[in-house]
Amino acid sequence: MQFPGFLSENGVIGVTAPSCGLVDAPHVYGFESAKSMWQKKNISVKETPNVRKSIGYVSSSKEDRAKEYMSLIEDSEVEAIVCAAGGDFLMEMLPLLDFETIKKNPKWTAGYSDPTGIVFLQTVLGDIASIYGGNFTSYGMDPLPDSIKVQRNFLLGLLGNKFIQKSYPMFQDHWKPQIIGIEPYEPDTEVCWKTASQHAETFSGRAIGGCFDVLMEIVGTKMDKVNEFAKKYAEDGILWYLESFSLPNERIYSGLWQLREAGWFENAKGFMFGRPAMETTSLIGMDYYEAIKMALGDLNVPIVFDACVGHKPPCIMMINGAMTKVSCANGKGSVEIELK
């Protein structure tokens, strides 16, 4: 596993829009606020042309999105890449990426939600660690939440190669409208991690995962080399973290079944599920927790629910490809990450 270097003094972050571009006033203002935050840390921001564009449901054509992402990969000045925002249909550009070139130019790529496609495959196909955490506009909040400070400080190299993140006391359970674009989170609900066993659990392995809705778009394609990845790191074992955006519970069950049959969960040491972004639904009355336990329960590995990962902030930053230990007890949890 390759672990890219951290940002150097007077380093450069590249920003591109592989999903949606930033065209409405709140997102543009949030983007400018994020740039200002990094500039105060003596970090320059280099944005590709599609960051401030929108055609239909995406920032630009799939060809342009792939080209602009690869331009940052090949730019020797750029030390890390952060996706501008989430959205839909990032998967269109994935077959156009040159993973051999990506392998030769290892650098941190960060994002969450639809950018799962890029960060997940950078690790699975490129064997380069990647960040599942806030998109670029997240850095524009004022004041900056502690969870986003963790991501900033990680990229600056202030956390080192081994660090622990603990579950947060409260999370924001409901969407809040962005009026200005720099509004911070407003936690309103108590955090409570759960385990399928209803007992304390601790497990470790090499972490991989992201937004489950997006991973369902990858399974079975020519880019699906997850089974090979799981075999390569069989000695370490695989620690899966997953979170859903808007899937009904029966689709979560059938999707997990599909990934399992495709060999994704070979050598799994345990699963950590984030809080679902949308209210869980089912046309047949299937419970969310039941769906997961039906799909994975007989693997006889730990399963954690409602962890601080995903769309309902604040969230723990995950590092695809890093050795990771998850602990859960009495409704609280922790994630220890080591870059090795």
Side-chain angles (χ1 to χ4, degrees):
M1 182 63 57
Q2 296 187 78
F3 294 100
F6 299 117
L7 293 170
S8 61
E9 187 176 354
N10 301 313
V12 178
I13 286 179
V15 183
T16 190
S19 296
C20 287
L22 307 174
V23 293
D24 64 309
H27 284 109
V28 171
Y29 191 72
F31 179 78
E32 292 297 337
S33 178
K35 285 180 65 176
S36 177
M37 186 282 296
W38 280 109
Q39 287 164 355
K40 290 175 182 177
K41 297 294 181 181
N42 297 316
I43 301 297
S44 300
V45 176
K46 180 179 288 190
E47 60 180 286
T48 65
N50 67 6
V51 168
R52 300 171 192 258
K53 290 182 179 179
S54 178
I55 55 167
Y57 304 104
V58 293
S59 65
S60 54
S61 69
K62 61 185 179 183
E63 291 83 6
D64 283 347
R65 283 179 281 151
K67 180 180 178 181
E68 292 185 24
Y69 177 73
M70 291 304 303
S71 74
L72 296 179
I73 288 290
E74 296 182 86
D75 188 331
S76 60
E77 283 190 340
V78 173
E79 297 174 325
I81 301 170
V82 182
C83 298
D88 298 285
F89 311 126
L90 177 145
M91 79 285 183
E92 296 176 323
M93 63 173 276
L94 293 176
L96 305 178
L97 298 180
D98 183 349
F99 284 95
E100 290 304 313
T101 297
I102 292 172
K103 286 181 185 178
K104 296 174 183 176
N105 297 275
K107 54 188 69 176
W108 291 110
T109 296
Y112 88 105
S113 195
D114 202 35
T116 292
I118 281 184
V119 297
F120 181 84
L121 289 181
Q122 174 173 305
T123 302
V124 170
L125 298 183
D127 217 37
I128 302 167
S130 60
I131 300 170
Y132 193 73
N135 296 317
F136 193 77
T137 51
S138 299
Y139 297 104
M141 288 184 279
D142 187 18
L144 199 64
D146 288 343
S147 60
I148 304 302
K149 287 181 181 177
V150 168
Q151 298 177 36
R152 179 197 65 189
N153 292 344
F154 174 77
L155 284 171
L156 290 171
L158 301 179
L159 302 186
N161 292 325
K162 186 176 182 179
F163 55 95
I164 296 176
Q165 300 170 83
K166 294 183 179 180
S167 57
Y168 294 93
M170 303 284 288
F171 73 95
Q172 180 178 301
D173 194 32
H174 299 94
W175 296 109
K176 309 289 183 181
Q178 290 280 296
I179 306 301
I180 301 175
I182 62 172
E183 295 90 337
Y185 307 135
E186 297 180 23
D188 52 28
T189 305
E190 185 177 358
V191 167
C192 183
W193 292 26
K194 306 178 182 72
T195 64
S197 67
Q198 299 185 345
H199 301 295
E201 297 279 16
T202 296
F203 55 100
S204 61
R206 200 165 288 275
I208 195 72
C211 182
F212 187 56
D213 311 44
V214 178
L215 296 179
M216 289 301 304
E217 297 166 349
I218 294 173
V219 64
T221 67
K222 65 181 181 181
M223 297 165 291
D224 181 0
K225 306 296 182 184
V226 181
N227 180 254
E228 290 90 331
F229 179 84
K231 289 179 178 177
K232 179 176 182 177
Y233 293 105
E235 185 175 342
D236 301 324
I238 305 298
L239 186 152
W240 280 95
Y241 68 93
L242 300 166
E243 51 103 5
S244 65
F245 181 72
S246 61
L247 295 175
N249 297 335
E250 49 266 40
R251 186 64 182 120
I252 289 174
Y253 167 66
S254 62
L256 288 171
W257 178 89
Q258 184 178 0
L259 267 58
R260 180 174 173 173
E261 289 300 308
W264 282 37
F265 301 150
E266 281 195 27
N267 304 310
K269 289 294 188 72
F271 294 83
M272 179 171 64
F273 286 87
R275 299 177 285 261
M278 300 298 180
E279 183 177 354
T280 58
T281 61
S282 173
L283 294 175
I284 60 175
M286 176 177 276
D287 176 75
Y288 170 73
Y289 305 104
E290 175 191 17
I292 294 172
K293 287 188 282 189
M294 282 178 59
L296 305 175
D298 63 351
L299 291 178
N300 297 315
V301 297
I303 301 174
V304 171
F305 301 115
D306 297 338
C308 298
V309 176
H311 284 75
K312 288 188 174 179
C315 291
I316 285 170
M317 174 187 67
M318 298 297 293
I319 305 294
N320 288 318
M323 289 301 299
T324 304
K325 181 170 73 173
V326 170
S327 300
C328 176
N330 301 317
K332 304 301 179 184
S334 67
V335 174
E336 180 180 304
I337 294 175
E338 186 171 5
L339 306 186
K340 70 171 188 178

